[in-house]
């Protein structure tokens, strides 16, 4: 199975700054997920896309987080302003459809200082 | 709402010994169940999945898991572990076909294989 590409792999940013993560899913995988994994915990869903549309963003802190998938292919997750508590691994996952399992990228490790 | 409980946060075991990592879940609907492995600073790799059919599921790297609906469990087993199996293991549940990739995860079990 081809990889889900994420960049950057690591990011250090100062609090109150803006930061963005990018995900390029497997070709033809219409469903895309962003998860946040705090150290020592399991991943938690932030947002789910079906093609370019948001299906579920109920757990996305919308005052500072935004996500888009303009052409239904790659996706960007943004945090503005970053807070110390946002330090975590941000994982992107893709699936062929809502009825199939998702494959994960390598993640972006964010450290807010 | 669904939830996952991984009953052991850390499991130390000697090389070539058998291991079982325990997972219980709760859900009001039929579920899909998954086990993932995560190495340090890496993403999650799917070990195995239960969607339907046989309750004994075989996965990669010699792992298998058994779905027990009455006990709402999905325990992961391997008959003989290797040093390279040292990693974090996550159990996850999805509420059925319409949301197969939308998973609720447990907090993970750290498997440490000692020589």
């Amino acid at each position: 199975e081809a990889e889900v590409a994420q960049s950057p792999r690591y990011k250090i940013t100062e609090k109150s700054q803006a930061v963005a993560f990018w995900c390029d899913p497997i070709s033809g995988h219409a469903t895309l997920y962003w998860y946040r994994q705090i150290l020592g915990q399991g991943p938690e869903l932030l947002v789910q896309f079906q093609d370019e549309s948001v299906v579920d963003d109920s757990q996305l802190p919308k005052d500072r987080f935004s996500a888009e998938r303009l052409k239904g292919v790659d996706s960007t997750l943004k945090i503005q302003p970053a807070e110390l508590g946002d330090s975590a691994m941000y994982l992107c996952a893709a699936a062929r459809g809502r009825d199939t399992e998702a494959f994960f990228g390598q993640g972006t490790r964010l450290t807010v200082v | 709402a669904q939830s996952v409980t991984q009953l052991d946060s850390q499991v130390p075991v000697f090389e070539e010994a058998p291991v079982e990592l325990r997972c219980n879940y709760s859900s009001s609907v039929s579920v899909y169940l998954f086990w993932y492995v995560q190495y340090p600073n890496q993403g999650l790799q799917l070990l195995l999945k239960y969607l339907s059919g046989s309750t004994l599921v075989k996965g990669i790297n010699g792992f298998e898991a058994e779905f027990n609906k009455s006990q709402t469990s999905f325990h992961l087993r391997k008959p003989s572990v290797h040093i390279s199996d040292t990693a974090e293991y996550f159990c996850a549940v999805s509420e059925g076909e319409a949301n197969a990739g939308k998973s609720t995860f447990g907090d993970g079990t750290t498997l440490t294989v000692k020589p």
Side-chain angles (χ1 to χ4, degrees):
Chain A
E1 187 77 38
E3 292 184 356
V4 173
Q6 288 190 248
S7 66
R9 288 292 313 280
Y10 303 92
K11 180 70 177 179
I12 300 174
T13 191
E14 294 182 348
K15 64 180 181 180
S16 79
Q17 295 298 305
V19 64
F21 317 124
W22 177 77
C23 172
D24 186 8
I26 303 164
S27 177
H29 281 51
T31 308
L32 185 145
Y33 308 87
W34 282 101
Y35 284 86
R36 177 172 61 184
Q37 183 181 19
I38 295 170
L39 190 64
Q41 298 180 19
E44 295 179 316
L45 182 70
L46 290 174
V47 62
Q48 176 187 357
F49 289 91
Q50 183 65 31
D51 298 307
E52 67 276 9
S53 300
V54 173
V55 174
D56 182 358
D57 64 355
S58 58
Q59 300 304 309
L60 188 71
K62 299 181 189 64
D63 57 335
R64 297 185 301 106
F65 285 65
S66 64
E68 61 182 15
R69 194 183 184 199
L70 293 176
K71 296 183 179 179
V73 182
D74 57 333
S75 176
T76 303
L77 179 69
K78 298 179 181 177
I79 308 174
Q80 183 173 17
E83 296 180 352
L84 295 177
D86 296 330
S87 295
M89 175 77 90
Y90 290 83
L91 294 162
C92 179
R96 291 187 184 279
R98 294 178 66 172
D99 60 342
T100 58
E101 73 271 22
F103 294 91
F104 284 80
Q106 297 282 50
T108 295
R109 168 74 67 188
L110 173 67
T111 302
V112 182
V113 297
Chain B
Q2 58 205 15
S3 65
V4 176
T5 302
Q6 293 186 237
L7 298 167
D8 308 290
S9 60
Q10 297 191 30
V11 173
V13 63
F14 286 105
E15 191 174 18
E16 298 184 4
V19 70
E20 178 180 79
L21 306 184
R22 299 180 294 166
C23 172
N24 287 353
Y25 70 92
S26 67
S27 176
S28 58
V29 299
S30 62
V31 297
Y32 288 176
L33 292 156
F34 307 90
W35 274 99
Y36 291 88
V37 61
Q38 185 177 38
Y39 299 98
N41 288 314
Q42 299 290 319
L44 276 69
Q45 181 183 9
L46 182 66
L47 278 177
L48 47 78
K49 61 188 177 186
Y50 171 79
L51 306 181
S52 64
S54 173
T55 57
L56 183 62
V57 179
K58 294 189 181 299
I60 63 171
N61 301 341
F63 285 94
E64 64 181 31
E66 185 159 17
F67 171 56
N68 188 318
K69 187 174 182 179
S70 63
Q71 297 187 9
T72 60
S73 68
F74 190 55
H75 300 333
L76 181 70
R77 301 185 182 100
K78 186 170 183 177
S80 176
V81 294
H82 303 291
I83 297 289
S84 59
D85 292 324
T86 295
E88 191 80 11
Y89 291 80
F90 291 94
C91 180
V93 60
S94 299
E95 285 192 343
E97 188 174 318
N99 284 297
K102 184 179 174 180
S103 296
T104 297
F105 287 81
D107 281 337
T109 297
T110 302
L111 175 63
T112 303
V113 181
K114 299 179 287 186

